[in-house]
Amino acid sequence: MKAVLLHGTGGPEKVQYTDVERPVPGIGEVLVRLKNASLNRRDLFITYGLYPGMKLPSILGADGAGIVYAAGENVEGLSEGDEVVINPGMNWGSNLNCSAPDFHVLGMPADGTYAEYVKVPAESVYRKPAYLTWSEAAAIPLSALTAYRAIITRGELAEGDTVFIPGIGGGVALFALQIAAARGARVFVSSSSDEKIARAKEMGAAGGINYRSDQWVQELNKEMGGADVIIDGVGGAAFKDFVFLAKPGGKLVSFGATAGPVPEFVLPRVFFKQLDIRGTTMGSPEEFADMLQFFEQHEIRPVIDKQFSLKDAVSALKYMEENRAFGKIVLDIS
């Protein structure tokens, strides 16, 4: 079969579109013939070796949707031809509050979805929501699950709450906007692009601010009136501003740090405001099922920025690196 394989680190150029042996499903496993896969920033980081537990060579890709092609022994409730979407989180464990030590994600160390076929445990596949196209279904798993857990489980968002989502345009941030808006929250966003802010408003955001403005924090605070929940995948020097923008008793939920470590952190600003700072990443199988149900209930569709063929995965990764995308980047496989 054709697959996108990473042999060594050094960036997207180290990725190869090549022939590999098609996997055979074992006990309790299914083989999925993939229709589409989608990119996550995790994939880009892996090409540079910026991820814990590096194990190469490996087929990249966490997200995918397709058709059950074959099933191993002891697989029940699934048949050849079933249309499915894959939960890329493996071995979450029994504790819903956090993942188990052996939790991992498809696409390294386990071979992932940048391929014509992928082998996964049967419990990791779910029925594809009928209203979604193959591209849309493939765009959901990792980012939507991360956003759902951040908003619903860790953020405990209630109807009428005010939410701030910095760095709008990426997959998780956009899903967080869609989930929060469907939940009945007032959503505010930030970006360095006025165009992205305008598009976010079209999707339901109540307001937004360009963080290149010298007074963006004060301007946003005046417009927003403080946030009950902040969903942050940025980190870096701006984190102190997020603490300022949170309402007393508010929650700051962190799922990433694309801007790097927080250089200065003044603790009194946290404890005098009675803030909760909560970490989150991915989610449990139960949350994945709940997320799909929530999406179906509200007919949430992913925003897809651009599609590439599987053989052009290097170009897709380079495009992601440019940080111009608004929404998910998808690979066409079939």
Side-chain angles (χ1 to χ4, degrees):
M1 70 174 185
K2 294 294 186 181
V4 174
L5 196 65
L6 181 68
H7 284 280
T9 59
E13 292 290 356
K14 296 297 183 179
V15 167
Q16 295 180 348
Y17 177 71
T18 187
D19 290 300
V20 300
E21 187 176 347
R22 189 172 71 192
V24 177
I27 297 173
E29 295 178 329
V30 295
L31 186 66
V32 178
R33 172 69 168 94
L34 289 158
K35 293 284 191 178
N36 290 94
S38 71
L39 277 65
N40 292 286
R41 195 152 297 269
R42 173 185 189 271
D43 307 333
L44 183 62
F45 289 162
I46 288 172
T47 69
Y48 284 102
L50 302 176
Y51 214 82
M54 290 292 296
K55 182 182 177 182
L56 301 177
S58 185
I59 298 172
L60 294 180
D63 291 343
I67 296 172
V68 174
Y69 182 81
E73 296 180 20
N74 299 336
V75 172
E76 298 180 356
L78 289 168
S79 303
E80 293 181 15
D82 285 348
E83 299 183 350
V84 297
V85 59
I86 299 168
N87 176 6
M90 305 286 129
N91 303 326
W92 177 272
S94 59
N95 187 349
L96 297 181
N97 294 318
C98 62
S99 57
D102 61 346
F103 175 78
H104 62 278
V105 179
L106 282 180
M108 198 293 299
D111 284 337
T113 57
Y114 290 10
E116 292 180 316
Y117 297 85
V118 66
K119 179 180 70 172
V120 292
E123 63 265 22
S124 296
V125 299
Y126 295 73
R127 304 286 180 180
K128 181 183 82 69
Y131 76 98
L132 295 177
T133 66
W134 284 113
S135 296
E136 290 170 337
I140 284 179
L142 188 150
S143 294
L145 176 59
T146 299
Y148 184 86
R149 179 174 171 86
I151 287 282
I152 303 299
T153 306
R154 303 294 281 155
E156 299 177 302
L157 187 73
E159 183 179 354
D161 279 353
T162 297
V163 182
F164 173 49
I165 305 171
I168 200 66
V172 177
L174 286 175
F175 282 128
L177 164 59
Q178 291 174 296
I179 293 168
R183 191 81 165 180
R186 295 172 65 243
V187 185
F188 292 81
V189 302
S190 71
S191 173
S192 62
S193 165
D194 291 336
E195 180 185 355
K196 289 183 178 181
I197 293 170
R199 292 187 65 181
K201 289 180 180 179
E202 292 173 1
M203 294 174 59
I209 191 78
N210 190 316
Y211 62 74
R212 296 197 184 281
S213 166
D214 291 338
Q215 300 295 317
W216 77 268
V217 177
Q218 292 77 12
E219 292 173 16
L220 179 60
N221 191 54
K222 182 178 179 180
E223 179 185 7
M224 182 174 64
D228 298 287
V229 180
I230 297 176
I231 305 297
D232 174 41
V234 178
F239 196 83
K240 66 180 185 302
D241 297 322
F242 305 155
V243 171
F244 172 79
L245 289 166
K247 287 182 180 179
K251 304 179 191 72
L252 208 167
V253 182
S254 170
F255 69 86
T258 56
V262 178
E264 295 180 2
F265 194 69
V266 183
L267 279 175
R269 295 179 181 174
V270 175
F271 56 72
F272 280 130
K273 292 182 79 171
Q274 308 282 341
L275 298 182
D276 282 348
I277 297 179
R278 302 180 177 185
T280 188
T281 184
M282 294 292 291
S284 67
E286 291 84 356
E287 286 165 317
F288 191 88
D290 290 344
M291 177 271 292
L292 287 179
Q293 184 178 33
F294 185 90
F295 272 48
E296 289 192 88
Q297 178 185 351
H298 297 280
E299 292 196 357
I300 295 174
R301 291 183 179 274
V303 177
I304 295 177
D305 180 271
K306 198 169 184 179
Q307 297 190 206
F308 295 79
S309 66
L310 181 64
K311 67 179 180 180
D312 292 327
V314 171
S315 297
L317 287 163
K318 287 181 176 180
Y319 178 70
M320 170 173 272
E321 196 168 22
E322 294 171 359
N323 293 320
R324 294 188 292 114
F326 186 88
K328 296 290 290 183
I329 303 168
V330 174
L331 298 178
D332 293 322
I333 299 172
S334 59

